[in-house]
């Protein structure tokens, strides 16, 4: 990955376009909120596209039909945060610490027979950490999940 200042808004807009056909099949709206255009973060274009396509696709896959996937950018002291939220089945609290392990799939996902390999979030976490960022998962059963990616802001002059 080549880390440089990159417009996160443009990356997210491209990622949303890639996932929109899948979300449309379930009548899921994708809501995108950003405080500004552009918003710069330290990243790699192809790596971040892989991260956000995976997260938005997962959010659509696990959302209830007719709901929405909400994507919010916030600039904090920790960096640029992008939260991807769904209104789906949620993740059992005991599964959250294992969510980014290779091939891990939550019990409720397996029971519901939702397809997947359990490799996506492992790749997402690996890319985000290689970019110097972090990943946070919050979830409430039967209400939904929010996965927040925090990336570093460019230093002035970069």
């Amino acid at each position: 990955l080549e880390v440089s200042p990159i417009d996160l808004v443009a990356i997210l807009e491209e990622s949303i376009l890639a996932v929109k056909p899948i979300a449309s099949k379930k009548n899921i709206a994708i809501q995108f909120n950003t405080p500004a255009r552009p918003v710069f973060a330290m990243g790699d274009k192809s790596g971040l596209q892989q991260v956000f396509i995976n997260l938005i696709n997962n959010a659509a896959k696990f959302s209830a039909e007719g709901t929405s996937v909400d994507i919010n950018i916030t600039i904090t002291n920790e960096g640029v945060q992008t939260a991807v939220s769904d209104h789906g089945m949620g993740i059992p609290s005991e599964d959250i610490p294992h969510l980014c392990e290779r091939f891990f799939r939550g019990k409720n996902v397996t029971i519901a027979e939702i397809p997947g390999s359990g490799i996506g979030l492992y790749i997402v976490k690996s890319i985000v950490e290689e970019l110097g960022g972090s990943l946070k998962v919050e979830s409430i059963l039967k209400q939904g999940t929010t996965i927040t990616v925090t990336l570093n802001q460019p230093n002035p002059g970069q």
Side-chain angles (χ1 to χ4, degrees):
L1 300 174
E2 292 185 30
V3 181
S4 63
I6 191 162
D7 179 8
L8 201 53
V9 174
I11 299 286
L12 283 159
E13 288 174 338
E14 290 174 27
S15 301
I16 290 166
L17 279 176
V19 177
K20 238 182 185 143
I22 296 161
S24 294
K25 286 181 184 174
K26 288 178 68 179
N27 195 26
I28 294 171
I30 300 176
Q31 310 289 335
F32 179 39
N33 303 302
T34 179
R37 291 172 189 270
V39 173
F40 287 98
M42 296 304 292
D44 171 85
K45 182 177 180 177
S46 62
L48 286 176
Q49 283 177 325
Q50 194 169 356
V51 164
F52 290 117
I53 287 171
N54 187 297
L55 292 178
I56 298 165
N57 185 51
N58 277 358
K61 180 164 66 169
F62 294 110
S63 281
E65 192 164 329
T67 60
S68 66
V69 170
D70 304 310
I71 304 162
N72 294 291
I73 295 178
T74 320
I75 300 167
T76 70
N77 290 336
E78 285 107 50
V80 181
Q81 296 184 329
T82 304
V84 179
S85 303
D86 68 48
H87 302 278
M89 63 176 38
I91 303 162
S93 57
E94 64 271 14
D95 287 351
I96 291 176
H98 306 288
L99 207 56
C100 294
E101 292 173 9
R102 195 181 214 159
F103 305 120
F104 179 81
R105 301 205 64 221
K107 286 184 289 246
N108 59 340
V109 171
T110 308
I111 291 166
E113 296 181 355
I114 295 172
S117 64
I119 193 89
L121 288 177
Y122 170 78
I123 292 169
V124 164
K125 185 176 185 203
S126 300
I127 291 170
V128 169
E129 288 179 349
E130 191 171 330
L131 294 171
S134 63
L135 199 68
K136 182 171 112 184
V137 179
E138 298 169 290
S139 190
I140 300 171
L141 278 177
K142 297 182 182 158
Q143 290 184 33
T145 300
T146 297
I147 297 182
T148 304
V149 173
T150 302
L151 299 167
N152 294 318
Q153 289 183 287
N155 292 324
Q158 267 187 315

